[in-house]
Amino acid sequence: MTVALDHVCRSVRGEDHILDMTATFEPGTINVLLGPTLSGKTSTMRLLAGLDPPTSGRILVNGRDVTGLPVRERSVAMVYQQFINYPSMTVYENIASPLRVRGAAREEIDRRVRVAAGLLRLEPYLDRMALQLSGGQQQRTAIARALVKDAGLVLLDEPLANLDYKLREELRAELPRLFEGKDAVIVYATTEPTEALLLGGATATLHKGRLTQFGPTPHVYRNPKDRITAQTFSDPPMNFISVELKNGFARSPAGVTLPAEGILKWLPEGRYDVGFRPRRLSLTKAPALIPVKGVVAVSEITGSESFVHIDVPGERWIALTAGVLERQPGQEIEVYLDPTRFFIFAADGRLVHAEPHGEERR
Amino acid sequence: MTRRLILIAYIVFLLLPIYWLVNMSFKTNTEITTTMSIVPIAPTLKNYAEIFTNPTWYGGFRFSLTYVVLNTLISIGVALPAAYAFSRYHFLGDKHLFFWLLTNRMAPPAVFALPFFNLYSAVGLFNTSWAVALAHCIFNVPLAVWILEGFMSGVPREIDETAYIDGYSFPRFFIRIFLPLIASGVGVAAFFCFMFSWVELLFARTLTNNQSISSIMTRTVSAAGIDWGLLSAAGVLTLVPGVLVIWFVRNYIAKGFALGRV
């Protein structure tokens, strides 16, 4: 089964939520919708589910137009960011509800509820009311309900966002396994690039209601089509500097000058956006690196890694370094760029050159 | 200690009239008018006996209860879908319509009494419990919509959607999933409808031939004076349905107020 969006637009009271979206979601892999808040992830989910009608365009299931079909006649399951269960029912009844509505036989319902509850480790709580459970268990119940339905399209709208770190890690590892071997199309929305990378599969990046790129997750990560996609798919955000390349030097309007080394040597003269990932911004001097002077703005320590926000003329960069590294705000430091690790974007945002991958230096 | 004294004084102040009513209902008229006794000197059940044996009296109670229950059922039945629409859908002028509903409650009942009298006489509804039940809707439906809308908006819309995704039809979802979630709201709304309709006097008198209990109570005033004992006993009995209803919805009332509506 495949689910496809065909030039789908949706606007509400003159405001565009989804703009000309075309994509085909395949079964057997997790399709990630990646984008910041308000980028149209939930709107896309609701269109796919049939909860909202598109303003124009078609939604196709196995090539069949289902645009006007009511939700309850579609084979869809959905898990929300908020833990949505029926509060007046027990966990068992919650999981059983899609089967009951369908009129399945009692033994069949019981068997499938127990299998789903087993997979999600909910057996001890089957007789409890949904609201008496912890957040993680409530979300497990919601996932079990989606699982038991055996729907052709499973929509997971930031299902882990409201869980605490530990539970999130746990459930994220389980999720792909749960839907394994089913001929279901799985669409998973998230704001976190890391989550997309962890889930693998295919990723569609969204920006202001547009689908900016769709392809296998590692490919999209390594070869973002344009500057916006690169920004969406990088955490912490990618660092940028706009430069004018001329006479062997790349100069930014604010006065930062880089010698045209690495890829810059091979580019025709003109205006470019140079991007590089935070972990490519080094705080220690090394031969082939380009030094730039800056001032520490903020320094955050996450345990095994440190983020240092650095103000350089005209830009703010983030350096991601291993280990605990304390820098005082206001401190003047020198940072070092690796010209072999640049992404180059043309003035109109298109990708000209991507950071090469393959052998890692560190 | 002072706090407790103030509280006790307040409760005494509140309950004294009710106690006095109960007290009077067990006395004879002579005792009421001549002596001031904290407890009846010669307790009597004569007043209650009169009410339970005289068909005018117990008929009045039955008539009033009929239109009150009818009204509560109609009001809730009509207000449920209306409140659902207000809480879940956006439509042109929805906020104005919602406010306009409430303004119905601001109008003095007397304004509606005459047109209702004339209309109901014309269609032969005059002097029936339906007449009063329908007339009270003009106040109770807006109130019920207002209360229920608040409760319904407290239920996340995603629950509705999850139910549709699970395959529920609208009626089945509404009865199986949604109603249990707003049960306390229905309880609170029903309580307010019941109480308003029970104590309302103007419509009950205008639209019937003095059949409702509140109008029958005015009959105790006659040329021979006021039958204090009988009036008190009737008063005590009119309190009973209210107390019963409050007893059933006591856990929900606080919730209803907590929602900031009502």
Side-chain angles (χ1 to χ4, degrees):
Chain A
M1 157 155 184
T2 62
V3 179
L5 296 167
D6 178 26
H7 296 285
V8 168
C9 298
R10 177 168 165 81
S11 50
V12 178
R13 270 163 263 147
E15 204 180 307
D16 291 326
H17 287 195
I18 296 294
L19 278 165
D20 195 24
M21 198 175 279
T22 301
T24 304
F25 300 105
E26 303 278 347
T29 176
I30 292 195
N31 299 281
V32 181
L33 295 180
L34 174 67
T37 335
L38 292 179
S39 62
K41 297 186 302 297
T42 301
S43 301
T44 310
M45 291 271 187
R46 297 178 59 87
L47 285 167
L48 285 170
L51 288 167
D52 293 329
T55 315
S56 65
R58 297 183 307 158
I59 293 159
L60 307 166
V61 172
N62 284 335
R64 195 170 69 93
D65 191 345
V66 296
T67 315
L69 207 64
V71 196
R72 51 186 293 248
E73 287 167 32
R74 300 190 186 196
S75 175
V76 180
M78 186 155 174
V79 177
Y80 289 87
Q81 177 179 350
Q82 309 90 319
F83 317 132
I84 300 293
N85 292 304
Y86 306 125
S88 50
M89 295 184 184
T90 62
V91 171
Y92 185 96
E93 283 303 318
N94 259 290
I95 301 175
S97 114
L99 300 173
R100 281 225 199 289
V101 177
R102 206 188 289 166
R106 181 183 294 268
E107 304 78 46
E108 162 88 356
I109 293 177
D110 193 62
R111 189 178 57 78
R112 285 169 70 170
V113 168
R114 291 196 188 276
V115 168
L119 281 171
L120 285 148
R121 300 203 297 277
L122 285 166
E123 287 127 324
Y125 315 108
L126 283 175
D127 294 329
R128 300 245 197 115
M129 298 305 276
L131 281 181
Q132 295 171 329
L133 301 180
S134 71
Q137 290 159 347
Q138 287 187 39
Q139 194 65 319
R140 278 168 191 281
T141 307
I143 294 171
R145 200 177 48 234
L147 194 66
V148 87
K149 199 183 169 190
D150 245 335
L153 175 61
V154 180
L155 300 167
L156 306 163
D157 190 1
E158 298 187 50
L160 310 179
N162 284 8
L163 294 174
D164 64 58
Y165 183 74
K166 195 90 190 144
L167 282 169
R168 200 184 317 172
E169 300 284 286
E170 227 177 86
L171 257 184
R172 189 193 291 126
E174 288 173 31
L175 266 178
R177 201 169 45 76
L178 286 175
F179 292 96
E180 233 169 49
K182 299 200 182 233
D183 182 39
V185 175
I186 301 158
V187 182
Y188 186 108
T190 180
T191 52
E192 293 170 38
T194 339
E195 201 156 87
L197 287 169
L198 284 167
L199 289 166
T203 292
T205 48
L206 267 60
H207 179 77
K208 292 188 178 163
R210 281 180 199 281
L211 190 139
T212 53
Q213 193 171 353
F214 183 35
T217 307
H219 178 81
V220 178
Y221 181 73
R222 286 171 183 150
N223 301 291
K225 226 160 81 180
D226 48 31
R227 190 183 151 144
I228 285 168
T229 310
Q231 266 166 331
T232 310
F233 207 160
S234 180
D235 180 44
M238 194 181 268
N239 298 314
F240 284 100
I241 182 163
S242 304
V243 295
E244 170 107 47
L245 187 63
K246 212 175 166 187
N247 302 331
F249 284 98
R251 288 191 176 83
S252 83
V256 177
T257 304
L258 313 174
E261 282 168 23
I263 178 66
L264 290 176
K265 217 187 302 186
W266 307 104
L267 292 173
E269 295 193 340
R271 297 172 51 82
Y272 296 98
D273 282 340
V274 176
F276 47 95
R277 297 205 190 269
R279 65 193 189 92
R280 300 302 184 194
L281 184 59
S282 172
L283 299 183
T284 44
K285 199 170 182 154
L289 302 185
I290 305 168
V292 175
K293 281 190 178 5
V295 178
V296 175
V298 187
S299 171
E300 302 164 308
I301 299 164
T302 64
S304 54
E305 291 171 332
S306 311
F307 297 93
V308 186
H309 299 241
I310 299 136
D311 282 325
V312 295
E315 311 282 346
R316 169 168 292 186
W317 290 344
I318 300 174
L320 172 62
T321 55
V324 175
L325 197 74
E326 269 187 275
R327 289 281 191 274
Q328 291 308 310
Q331 188 185 348
E332 288 190 14
I333 56 165
E334 204 159 62
V335 293
Y336 304 92
L337 313 187
D338 184 344
T340 63
R341 294 293 171 183
F342 285 162
F343 286 85
I344 308 289
F345 300 93
D348 62 1
R350 257 181 327 107
L351 180 78
V352 176
H353 171 82
E355 174 187 349
H357 66 273
E359 91 291 4
E360 283 285 321
R361 284 196 327 156
R362 46 182 232 184
Chain B
M1 196 60 219
T2 334
R3 275 216 319 236
R4 188 166 297 175
L5 275 180
I6 292 172
L7 190 66
I8 290 169
Y10 180 61
I11 289 172
V12 167
F13 179 75
L14 279 182
L15 288 181
L16 192 64
I18 293 173
Y19 170 72
W20 208 250
L21 186 74
V22 176
N23 188 14
M24 288 206 300
S25 72
F26 291 108
K27 292 178 183 175
T28 58
N29 277 331
T30 343
E31 191 183 334
I32 294 169
T33 44
T34 51
T35 47
M36 160 114 177
S37 45
I38 306 285
V39 285
I41 299 165
T44 169
L45 286 173
K46 189 176 63 73
N47 298 321
Y48 288 97
E50 164 71 9
I51 289 171
F52 286 115
T53 51
N54 186 335
T56 322
W57 277 107
Y58 66 74
F61 274 107
R62 198 166 53 203
F63 184 80
S64 285
L65 274 175
T66 311
Y67 71 69
V68 165
V69 169
L70 266 180
N71 168 266
T72 307
L73 290 179
I74 297 171
S75 299
I76 299 295
V78 169
L80 273 172
Y84 187 80
F86 277 120
S87 124
R88 289 300 194 252
Y89 300 111
H90 291 285
F91 48 91
L92 194 65
D94 51 355
K95 295 213 169 59
H96 298 285
L97 191 63
F98 194 55
F99 182 68
W100 171 80
L101 260 180
L102 273 181
T103 56
N104 278 317
R105 276 198 75 81
M106 299 174 189
V111 171
F112 298 107
L114 196 59
F116 271 140
F117 174 76
N118 202 270
L119 276 168
Y120 288 164
S121 305
V123 295
L125 272 175
F126 180 75
N127 208 15
T128 62
S129 41
W130 283 98
V132 189
L134 287 175
H136 284 171
C137 281
I138 205 162
F139 297 101
N140 282 347
V141 169
L143 181 75
V145 170
W146 182 255
I147 295 171
L148 289 173
E149 196 271 342
F151 275 86
M152 287 180 180
S153 296
V155 176
R157 198 182 290 255
E158 283 81 4
I159 295 222
D160 306 26
E161 293 171 357
T162 305
Y164 300 148
I165 288 174
D166 278 358
Y168 282 85
S169 63
F170 182 78
R172 191 165 177 188
F173 150 73
F174 201 83
I175 293 163
R176 286 269 293 132
I177 312 244
F178 199 65
L179 271 184
L181 295 183
I182 54 155
S184 43
V186 175
V188 172
F191 164 76
F192 278 98
C193 291
F194 188 96
M195 287 321 280
F196 173 85
S197 195
W198 182 246
V199 300
E200 205 275 343
L201 180 61
L202 187 88
F203 282 151
R205 284 196 71 170
T206 328
L207 301 178
T208 65
N209 222 338
N210 284 342
Q211 285 206 59
S212 74
I213 188 63
S214 41
S215 36
I216 287 164
M217 280 168 76
T218 57
R219 291 190 189 173
T220 51
V221 186
S222 65
I226 301 175
D227 192 342
W228 294 103
L230 191 57
L231 186 56
S232 309
V236 170
L237 290 177
T238 55
L239 286 176
V240 172
V243 171
L244 283 178
V245 175
I246 289 184
W247 178 259
F248 282 120
V249 297
R250 67 193 185 284
N251 293 327
Y252 302 135
I253 291 281
K255 244 192 204 168
F257 281 106
L259 270 178
R261 299 278 172 85
V262 182

